Amino acid sequence: MRLLVVEDDSDLNRQIAGALERAGYVVDRAFDGEEGWFLGDTEPYDGVVLDVGLPRKDGVSVLVDWRAAGRAMPVLILTARDRWGEKVQAFDAGADDYLTKPFHIEELLARLRALMRRAAGHATSVFACGPVKLDERAGKVLVDGVAVKLTSHEYRLLAYLMHHQGKVVSRAEIVEHLYDQDFDRDSNTIEVFVGRLRKKLGVEVIRTVRGLGYVLEAPGESASGQRRPADSSHGA
């Protein structure tokens, strides 16, 4: 899952981004409203942490412009404790949640997880697909109750597929959500990660849809919930 942090306080920006990266997210950072608006308008983020009091372009204006352009990613705003009017403005502009400064990083992480779960139509932080379970809060993956050790990229790939379970996602979409803006992106590497992930999970939950991408589904089921034909492709 790929996130954007827009915060002009460099220390706080670094703290938030560091915590998110340790939690397994890919993070892009911006330090003013103009840069933040541009990134949010041109890159596909799964969630945004947006400060209200930004230089060059305030956070509410950034949010208004995003929503006007049809950008629907969940946005968690940060605001000073005594500026309740900013919260009202931000919600009216399309914010999904807010935190007042100072705050605990653990709460920010929990609120972001909740926002992204709701955006994907999930109710809890534990995702399941057949015998495979992913606990976002604990950062663990289990198959039939046994822990499976994944690399950070393998975990991010599985988490993204879990959030979009039953839907076909393209290689290009996965690349956009697995790497930050500065990474030299190559969709061919996704085939490698998918192959490794399949081997480690040991169960057929990732199906290749030729010419389109991949879909995560319980063994024996198609994306529509129907039994899958026996000759479906499982190659990377």
Side-chain angles (χ1 to χ4, degrees), residues 2-6 28-45 48 62 66 71 73 181-182:
R2 187 178 172 196
L3 305 178
L4 172 64
V5 177
V6 189
D28 289 334
R29 302 163 65 192
F31 298 88
D32 64 66
E34 286 285 356
E35 183 185 15
W37 166 80
F38 177 78
L39 288 174
D41 194 55
T42 57
E43 297 288 339
Y45 293 106
V48 178
V62 170
W66 281 343
R71 308 305 178 199
M73 64 281 196
Q181 60 176 334
D182 297 323

Side-chain angles (χ1 to χ4, degrees), residues 1-3 44-48 73-74 116 119 160 164 177:
M1 307 296 283
R2 187 178 172 196
L3 305 178
Y45 293 106
D46 300 294
V48 178
M73 64 281 196
M116 290 187 289
Y160 190 77
H164 299 82
H177 290 266

Side-chain angles (χ1 to χ4, degrees), residues 60 79 82-92:
V60 172
T79 182
D82 59 345
R83 296 180 180 175
W84 62 268
E86 289 181 342
K87 302 171 191 175
V88 175
Q89 286 182 315
F91 276 122
D92 287 342

Side-chain angles (χ1 to χ4, degrees), residues 50-222:
L50 177 66
D51 186 32
V52 172
L54 294 168
R56 300 185 65 186
K57 188 180 181 78
D58 68 88
V60 172
S61 297
V62 170
L63 187 52
V64 167
D65 288 348
W66 281 343
R67 296 314 192 210
R71 308 305 178 199
M73 64 281 196
V75 175
L76 172 66
I77 64 165
L78 305 178
T79 182
R81 184 176 298 277
D82 59 345
R83 296 180 180 175
W84 62 268
E86 289 181 342
K87 302 171 191 175
V88 175
Q89 286 182 315
F91 276 122
D92 287 342
D96 298 278
D97 199 357
Y98 77 91
L99 267 178
T100 54
K101 300 176 182 179
F103 55 85
H104 292 287
I105 290 293
E106 290 78 7
E107 182 178 0
L108 181 143
L109 291 171
R111 287 180 180 271
L112 278 175
R113 287 195 299 266
L115 289 180
M116 290 187 289
R117 284 200 308 271
R118 288 199 293 270
H122 299 283
T124 73
S125 61
V126 178
F127 295 78
C129 182
V132 181
K133 290 186 177 180
L134 184 146
D135 186 337
E136 275 196 324
R137 185 174 180 276
K140 293 182 179 180
V141 174
L142 305 174
V143 177
D144 287 325
V146 179
V148 176
K149 188 175 182 179
L150 302 179
T151 66
S152 60
H153 281 94
E154 292 163 355
Y155 179 87
R156 290 170 184 166
L157 171 60
L158 180 60
Y160 190 77
L161 292 174
M162 279 286 192
H163 272 266
H164 299 82
Q165 186 174 165
K167 300 176 182 178
V168 178
V169 293
S170 68
R171 290 179 178 86
E173 180 182 348
I174 294 172
V175 168
E176 289 178 336
H177 290 266
L178 251 64
Y179 303 116
D180 61 40
Q181 60 176 334
D182 297 323
F183 193 88
D184 183 15
R185 301 170 183 178
D186 180 2
S187 62
N188 292 327
T189 62
I190 298 303
E191 296 183 8
V192 176
F193 289 135
V194 169
R196 291 176 180 172
L197 187 55
R198 281 174 170 152
K199 185 175 181 180
K200 288 186 177 182
L201 295 178
V203 290
E204 295 184 349
V205 292
I206 303 174
R207 181 166 64 93
T208 298
V209 182
R210 287 200 176 105
L212 296 176
Y214 303 100
V215 60
L216 185 79
E217 57 195 18
E221 288 189 357
S222 69

